[in-house]
Amino acid sequence: MKVTAIGTGYVGLVTGACLAEMGNHVVCLDVNPEKIRILNDGEIPIHEPGLLEVVRRNVAAGRLQFTTDVDMAVNHGTLLFIGVGTPPDEDGSADLQYVVAAARSIGQRMTDYKVIVDKSTVPVGTADKVRAAVKEELEKRGLGDMAYAVVSNPEFLKEGAAVEDFMKPDRVVIGSDDEQATLLMRALYAPFNRTQDRMLVMDVKSAEFTKYAANAMLATRISFMNELALLAERVGADIELVRRGIGSDPRIGYQFLYAGAGYGGSCFPKDVKALVKTAADNGIPLKVLTAVEEANERQKRVLVDKVVARFGNDLKGRRFAIWGLAFKPNTDDMREAPSLVVIDELTKRGATVAAYDPVSMPETARVLGPRDDVTLVERAEAALQGADALLIVTEWKEFRTPDFDAIKAALKAPMVFDGRNLYDPKLMKALGIDYSGIGRG
């Protein structure tokens, strides 16, 4: 099938590359010429395990190409996936200007039947806005009777595992009110459903709602455990043991029950805000999700609270090592990363920071800009030299079994604040390391 993916970020690029992997002919469109240059040079503008190999393989096979030519891209695809950004607006709502702009570009150029697929995470009612934008542009051209369909196909991709999630989906949600569009979407996703039909077809608004509801549920589990961790620490319980105790209940399960330094990224923060805003606009305040947001903002400061409790509020002359900057492992995404809050709070109190991340150093440098109070180092060990303590913010695998003797030797005092509960408190005590996790009693 002929497919166009509009946008070459996490959603658009992964979608385009994985659909090409199944034999479709895919054109990826982006208005950013630098992104297209990078892609045409055989690289990718994001860090996503396994994606570069898929891109290169399908470019070589002639099934995947990248362009800034809007006319060519729109004319190419029967299925046009909109995978552009939907950043939070000032009031917390999703900013749909790029989605609507993409829809208008389609309406200005299409000459035959198209299935326009909302792949971006968008609030309920976005398909109506897309449909209206396309119709308005067609009417300007005197083509108001031209047939087209707008479908919702939300993505459920975890950054760091997006390729695997796309190739082996646990569900494919299709929101469609058009029989022909539904048949085309079934045909497109048939290769992903050979062993089991994972496709869930529903009305468009329910599909739009499903994506927000899923992310809100996951964010709620995280904030719930983070709040319990604060209480566990106060009463002397170990939240890791509690997690195992409740996770063994099949009604609860183990996923997204890890206490830590708060969630970040491009999805949970903005999607929770957008759903809260949608609810408020409809007169249904979501009190649970409002609390989820508040709990997460507090949790991002928990490590700093521990540092202040140990060293005092005035941190002038203090130096802290930070391991892990990206909001989660296997990505270089710094959007809403808890590490940024930790760095900001430490430096506001006069401290300096030496930070390391296996992947996100270039992106961190771009986000932070040149600063005298933050040093980005090339090795984890280099961050430790002369630091008053080590703070772990992101749970990269290489941090799981470090050389603890080297940590003790490099730090001024053997002190570790573990924002991801990577280590056993009893082991750390036996090693002579002053250790503080999240909710470890």
Side-chain angles (χ1 to χ4, degrees), residues 288-401:
V288 170
L289 285 188
T290 300
V292 166
E293 280 190 288
E294 293 172 353
N296 191 58
E297 290 306 306
R298 176 176 63 177
Q299 200 68 20
K300 288 182 178 182
R301 291 169 170 77
V302 163
L303 281 181
V304 177
D305 291 341
K306 290 175 177 290
V307 169
V308 169
R310 184 62 57 90
F311 293 101
N313 195 57
D314 184 357
L315 298 178
K316 290 176 183 176
R318 300 286 185 182
R319 180 180 176 89
F320 295 97
I322 292 181
W323 282 2
L325 296 166
F327 88 92
K328 65 180 288 188
N330 297 321
T331 180
D332 63 349
D333 197 340
M334 291 296 297
R335 286 174 288 185
E336 301 283 346
S339 64
L340 296 177
V341 175
V342 172
I343 290 171
D344 183 56
E345 292 294 327
L346 290 175
T347 54
K348 277 198 312 188
R349 291 170 170 80
T352 58
V353 169
Y356 166 77
D357 188 281
V359 169
S360 72
M361 303 298 275
E363 182 63 10
T364 303
R366 186 192 69 80
V367 171
L368 291 179
R371 293 180 58 164
D372 294 332
D373 52 5
V374 179
T375 303
L376 302 180
V377 298
E378 296 300 322
R379 295 182 301 108
E381 296 79 8
L384 301 172
Q385 299 302 318
D388 290 276
L390 166 64
L391 284 68
I392 299 173
V393 185
T394 311
E395 64 274 30
W396 287 92
K397 288 181 180 178
E398 69 177 76
F399 302 153
R400 292 182 182 179
T401 53

Side-chain angles (χ1 to χ4, degrees), residues 424-441:
D424 182 345
K426 292 181 180 179
L427 172 63
M428 300 298 280
K429 183 177 181 179
L431 291 172
I433 295 176
D434 188 346
Y435 176 77
S436 180
I438 305 295
R440 303 308 300 268

Side-chain angles (χ1 to χ4, degrees), residues 1-4 15 19 24 78-82 113-119 149-155 166 172-193 197 199-201 207:
M1 299 179 73
K2 290 186 176 181
V3 176
T4 293
T15 298
L19 290 176
N24 299 287
T78 300
L79 294 155
L80 305 174
F81 283 79
I82 299 177
Y113 178 80
K114 303 288 185 184
V115 177
I116 302 163
V117 185
D118 281 336
K119 195 69 175 170
V150 177
V151 168
S152 175
N153 174 216
E155 53 87 12
F166 198 102
V172 177
V173 174
I174 304 295
S176 174
D177 304 313
D178 183 282
E179 184 176 352
Q180 183 178 353
T182 303
L183 290 173
L184 287 171
M185 294 297 288
R186 284 192 178 279
L188 182 70
Y189 279 108
F192 304 93
N193 287 309
D197 187 5
M199 183 170 286
L200 303 173
V201 180

Side-chain angles (χ1 to χ4, degrees), residues 18 22 162-172 192 198:
C18 290
M22 289 301 181
V163 173
E164 182 179 2
D165 286 347
F166 198 102
M167 300 302 289
K168 299 178 181 179
D170 49 23
R171 78 281 207 194
V172 177
F192 304 93
R198 297 175 174 84

Side-chain angles (χ1 to χ4, degrees), residues 122-299:
V122 293
V124 176
T126 299
D128 294 337
K129 291 182 172 65
V130 168
R131 190 176 292 109
V134 173
K135 183 176 178 60
E136 183 179 340
E137 296 302 327
L138 287 174
E139 288 176 344
K140 290 178 183 178
R141 299 166 58 203
L143 300 173
D145 294 331
M146 181 175 289
Y148 64 95
V150 177
V151 168
S152 175
N153 174 216
E155 53 87 12
F156 297 95
L157 307 176
K158 299 186 294 293
E159 288 188 36
V163 173
E164 182 179 2
D165 286 347
F166 198 102
M167 300 302 289
K168 299 178 181 179
D170 49 23
R171 78 281 207 194
V172 177
V173 174
I174 304 295
S176 174
D177 304 313
D178 183 282
E179 184 176 352
Q180 183 178 353
T182 303
L183 290 173
L184 287 171
M185 294 297 288
R186 284 192 178 279
L188 182 70
Y189 279 108
F192 304 93
N193 287 309
R194 288 180 62 82
T195 59
Q196 178 185 346
D197 187 5
R198 297 175 174 84
M199 183 170 286
L200 303 173
V201 180
M202 58 187 72
D203 64 276
V204 174
K205 289 186 177 181
S206 294
E208 292 171 333
F209 203 149
T210 296
K211 169 62 177 180
Y212 276 102
N215 279 355
M217 173 62 78
L218 297 176
T220 298
R221 286 170 67 95
I222 294 171
S223 282
F224 174 73
M225 287 302 289
N226 282 336
E227 289 216 300
L228 290 186
L230 298 180
L231 179 59
E233 195 166 304
R234 185 65 59 88
V235 301
D238 187 332
I239 197 64
E240 277 295 294
L241 300 179
V242 174
R243 179 184 66 81
R244 296 174 201 171
I246 65 175
S248 60
D249 187 330
R251 296 170 300 176
I252 298 173
Y254 290 103
Q255 291 189 322
F256 289 85
L257 287 185
Y258 290 89
Y263 62 75
S266 64
C267 294
F268 289 1
K270 77 177 182 65
D271 292 354
V272 170
K273 289 181 188 297
L275 190 53
V276 168
K277 180 62 167 60
T278 297
D281 290 345
N282 285 274
I284 306 292
L286 299 183
K287 296 181 180 180
V288 170
L289 285 188
T290 300
V292 166
E293 280 190 288
E294 293 172 353
N296 191 58
E297 290 306 306
R298 176 176 63 177
Q299 200 68 20

